[in-house]
Amino acid sequence: MEKWLRSLKTKTPQEGFELAITLAQKGVQYTQPSEKIRKKLRPKYARNARSLISASQVVAINFQTIAAANHYWEKNDDDLSQFLF
Amino acid sequence: MEKWLRSLKTKTPQEGFELAITLAQKGVQYTQPSEKIRKKLRPKYARNARSLISASQVVAINFQTIAAANHYWEKNDDDLSQFLF
Amino acid sequence: MEKWLRSLKTKTPQEGFELAITLAQKGVQYTQPSEKIRKKLRPKYARNARSLISASQVVAINFQTIAAANHYWEKNDDDLSQFLF
Amino acid sequence: MEKWLRSLKTKTPQEGFELAITLAQKGVQYTQPSEKIRKKLRPKYARNARSLISASQVVAINFQTIAAANHYWEKNDDDLSQFLF
Amino acid sequence: MEKWLRSLKTKTPQEGFELAITLAQKGVQYTQPSEKIRKKLRPKYARNARSLISASQVVAINFQTIAAANHYWEKNDDDLSQFLF
Amino acid sequence: MEKWLRSLKTKTPQEGFELAITLAQKGVQYTQPSEKIRKKLRPKYARNARSLISASQVVAINFQTIAAANHYWEKNDDDLSQFLF
């Protein structure tokens, strides 16, 4: 598969959340590589409340990982580094 | 998508919990961007016990992230910093 | 919504577990604010084994957060602080 | 409810796992306090593979909490403390 | 129950993964102690894709615990300890 | 079973994500060792939206473990080590 994930670092929490969505989608794509089949499934599950909640759950788990990788986007860390380096 | 998440920091645990609910909803919105369809699904799943429990689970996972980002709202940290800086 | 969560700190692990149950219930209440509807759903899901296990799972996730916030109720920390301060 | 959880500390990983099972059961009991109803549900879900896997998942989540609370039962920590104190 | 879990430490990540599988199975066994019933359920759920994915999820959660307990099998730690002790 | 997992370390986040997929698959394989049966199940679940989302969830959980094992692929750590050693 082509390069699609170079870093877990993002500039903002929102970009981190959007990366979490990408990871959730990639988890599906690796299991079902056919774009044609995935597109066929989409309209159905996107109108199913429980599928949408499950999707949101996968996003939440991936967001945990990304938030930790970005030290929860704490600006204090950066400020301190000004003094340390 | 517009800016909707600027920080994971909240003043209180309750605001953190409410942000966790927002994250859970956003996970759904990114998957199903149509507000019209989401509104149609809402009455049904909001009367389904298992869907409500699943929604609460997504909130719980997001709350883990937000609580960690806020150092569990420990006041002691702030007090100590008075002495350190 | 009124103030219902002021702190993640509890005196004992058991109170922490009970707070985890409150968080799980609040996750449901924010999604379905109508007490009337929730009360109607209750007898049904409280007699459904899989719903009960799912509820226990949400409690377990929230308990992780609360246990971390309380440093797993380790008394040693407090004892040490006697020497440090 | 009576006192049933005094500490997350256990002597061994196995006792920790057994405490995780207790926590999973308590999550169910708080949601369905009637022992009579729970006993009626038991034979059914204990013969349902997916319910058993779900139960094992709740145990796994609780075991994460308990294992962290016990520093993963690392003996090295104790040994070191002999030198530090 | 007999002693079956003495330590979360394993020599390799693969042994850790295999211990995670044991923990997942034990979570089932504590809930359904009858080997006879479990064996009856096995052929059915082992041919059900969603049950298999759920089982893999329980393994994943247990593997998180075991990996943390083994400091993710980082050899660097051991090497450093040569210099420290 | 043959050696298939020697380390949780990967060079890039993407390789880490792909290892997470391997772990998710291995969780299934240990539960259902027959390749013949797994292949029979595959076409069905790979066209089922909820199964695909569940699979993505297992990947997300395993990716948390692998990301932590790789310190979230933070290059800063390596750079610092140049000065420390």
Side-chain angles (χ1 to χ4, degrees):
Chain A
M1 200 178 261
E2 103 248 50
K3 286 254 162 72
W4 61 272
L5 181 61
R6 283 165 199 283
S7 169
L8 297 182
K9 291 273 179 192
T10 67
K11 272 187 221 144
T12 64
Q14 183 165 335
E15 283 176 35
F17 195 82
E18 286 158 2
L19 178 55
I21 285 161
T22 302
L23 293 186
Q25 291 168 336
K26 284 287 173 182
V28 169
Q29 284 174 34
Y30 275 91
T31 313
Q32 178 47 273
S34 157
E35 205 188 332
K36 202 179 144 194
I37 295 173
R38 290 199 315 269
K39 281 204 173 154
K40 212 182 283 180
L41 295 172
R42 209 187 143 70
K44 204 177 148 197
Y45 93 76
R47 284 159 203 270
N48 180 290
R50 292 204 48 203
S51 295
L52 289 172
I53 297 170
S54 295
S56 182
Q57 190 174 345
V58 186
V59 172
I61 296 168
N62 282 316
F63 187 58
Q64 284 193 330
T65 312
I66 292 163
N70 287 280
H71 304 286
Y72 305 95
W73 296 274
E74 294 206 42
K75 283 282 170 280
N76 300 358
D77 287 9
D78 299 348
D79 295 348
L80 255 178
S81 70
Q82 290 186 299
F83 296 91
L84 289 171
F85 297 105
Chain B
M1 200 178 260
E2 103 250 49
K3 285 253 163 71
W4 60 271
L5 181 61
R6 282 164 200 283
S7 167
L8 298 181
K9 291 275 178 190
T10 68
K11 272 187 220 144
T12 64
Q14 182 167 333
E15 284 176 34
F17 195 82
E18 285 159 1
L19 178 54
I21 284 161
T22 302
L23 293 187
Q25 291 168 337
K26 285 287 172 182
V28 169
Q29 284 174 34
Y30 275 92
T31 313
Q32 178 47 273
S34 158
E35 205 189 331
K36 201 180 145 196
I37 295 174
R38 290 199 315 269
K39 281 203 174 155
K40 214 183 281 180
L41 295 172
R42 207 185 145 71
K44 203 177 149 198
Y45 93 77
R47 284 158 204 271
N48 180 289
R50 292 205 47 205
S51 295
L52 289 172
I53 297 171
S54 295
S56 182
Q57 189 174 345
V58 185
V59 173
I61 296 168
N62 282 316
F63 187 58
Q64 284 193 331
T65 310
I66 292 162
N70 287 280
H71 304 286
Y72 305 95
W73 296 273
E74 294 206 42
K75 284 283 170 280
N76 300 357
D77 287 9
D78 300 347
D79 296 348
L80 255 179
S81 68
Q82 290 186 298
F83 296 91
L84 289 171
F85 298 106
Chain C
M1 200 178 260
E2 102 249 52
K3 286 253 163 72
W4 60 272
L5 181 61
R6 282 164 199 283
S7 167
L8 298 181
K9 291 273 179 192
T10 67
K11 272 187 222 145
T12 63
Q14 181 167 334
E15 284 176 34
F17 195 82
E18 285 159 2
L19 178 55
I21 284 160
T22 301
L23 293 187
Q25 291 168 336
K26 285 287 173 182
V28 169
Q29 284 175 33
Y30 275 92
T31 313
Q32 178 47 274
S34 157
E35 205 188 332
K36 202 180 145 195
I37 295 174
R38 290 199 315 268
K39 281 203 173 156
K40 214 182 280 179
L41 296 173
R42 206 184 146 71
K44 203 177 150 199
Y45 92 78
R47 283 157 204 270
N48 180 289
R50 292 204 48 205
S51 295
L52 289 172
I53 298 171
S54 295
S56 183
Q57 189 174 345
V58 185
V59 173
I61 296 169
N62 282 317
F63 187 58
Q64 284 193 331
T65 311
I66 292 162
N70 286 280
H71 305 286
Y72 305 95
W73 296 273
E74 293 205 45
K75 282 284 171 278
N76 299 359
D77 287 9
D78 300 348
D79 295 349
L80 255 178
S81 69
Q82 291 187 298
F83 296 92
L84 290 171
F85 299 105
Chain D
M1 200 177 261
E2 102 249 52
K3 285 254 162 73
W4 59 271
L5 181 61
R6 283 165 199 281
S7 166
L8 298 181
K9 292 272 178 192
T10 67
K11 271 188 221 145
T12 64
Q14 181 166 336
E15 283 176 35
F17 194 83
E18 285 159 1
L19 178 55
I21 284 160
T22 302
L23 293 187
Q25 291 168 336
K26 285 287 173 182
V28 169
Q29 284 174 33
Y30 275 93
T31 314
Q32 178 47 274
S34 156
E35 205 188 331
K36 202 180 145 194
I37 295 175
R38 290 199 315 269
K39 280 204 173 154
K40 213 183 281 180
L41 296 173
R42 207 186 145 71
K44 203 176 152 200
Y45 92 77
R47 283 158 205 271
N48 179 289
R50 291 203 49 203
S51 295
L52 289 171
I53 297 170
S54 295
S56 183
Q57 188 174 345
V58 185
V59 173
I61 296 168
N62 282 317
F63 187 57
Q64 284 193 330
T65 310
I66 292 162
N70 286 279
H71 306 285
Y72 305 95
W73 296 272
E74 293 205 43
K75 282 284 171 279
N76 300 358
D77 288 10
D78 300 348
D79 294 349
L80 255 178
S81 69
Q82 290 187 299
F83 296 92
L84 289 171
F85 298 105
Chain E
M1 201 177 261
E2 103 247 53
K3 285 254 162 71
W4 60 272
L5 179 62
R6 282 165 199 282
S7 166
L8 298 181
K9 292 273 178 192
T10 67
K11 272 189 221 145
T12 64
Q14 182 166 337
E15 283 176 35
F17 195 82
E18 286 158 2
L19 178 55
I21 285 160
T22 302
L23 292 187
Q25 291 168 337
K26 284 287 172 183
V28 169
Q29 284 174 34
Y30 275 92
T31 314
Q32 179 47 274
S34 157
E35 205 188 332
K36 203 180 144 194
I37 295 174
R38 289 198 316 267
K39 281 203 172 156
K40 214 183 280 179
L41 296 172
R42 207 185 145 70
K44 202 177 152 199
Y45 92 78
R47 285 160 203 269
N48 179 287
R50 292 203 47 204
S51 295
L52 289 172
I53 297 170
S54 295
S56 183
Q57 189 174 345
V58 185
V59 173
I61 296 168
N62 282 316
F63 187 57
Q64 285 193 330
T65 310
I66 292 162
N70 287 279
H71 305 285
Y72 305 96
W73 296 273
E74 294 204 44
K75 281 284 171 279
N76 300 358
D77 287 10
D78 300 348
D79 295 349
L80 255 178
S81 69
Q82 290 187 298
F83 296 93
L84 290 171
F85 298 105
Chain F
M1 201 177 259
E2 102 248 51
K3 285 253 162 73
W4 60 272
L5 180 62
R6 282 165 199 282
S7 168
L8 297 181
K9 292 272 178 191
T10 68
K11 272 188 221 144
T12 64
Q14 182 166 336
E15 283 176 34
F17 195 82
E18 285 158 2
L19 178 55
I21 285 160
T22 302
L23 293 187
Q25 291 168 336
K26 284 287 171 182
V28 169
Q29 284 174 35
Y30 275 91
T31 313
Q32 179 47 273
S34 158
E35 205 189 332
K36 203 180 143 194
I37 295 174
R38 290 198 315 268
K39 281 205 173 153
K40 213 182 281 178
L41 295 173
R42 207 185 145 69
K44 203 176 149 197
Y45 92 77
R47 284 160 203 269
N48 180 289
R50 292 203 47 203
S51 294
L52 289 172
I53 297 170
S54 295
S56 183
Q57 189 174 345
V58 186
V59 173
I61 296 168
N62 282 316
F63 187 57
Q64 285 193 330
T65 311
I66 292 163
N70 286 279
H71 305 285
Y72 305 95
W73 296 273
E74 293 204 44
K75 281 284 170 279
N76 300 358
D77 288 9
D78 300 348
D79 295 348
L80 255 179
S81 69
Q82 289 186 299
F83 296 92
L84 289 171
F85 298 105

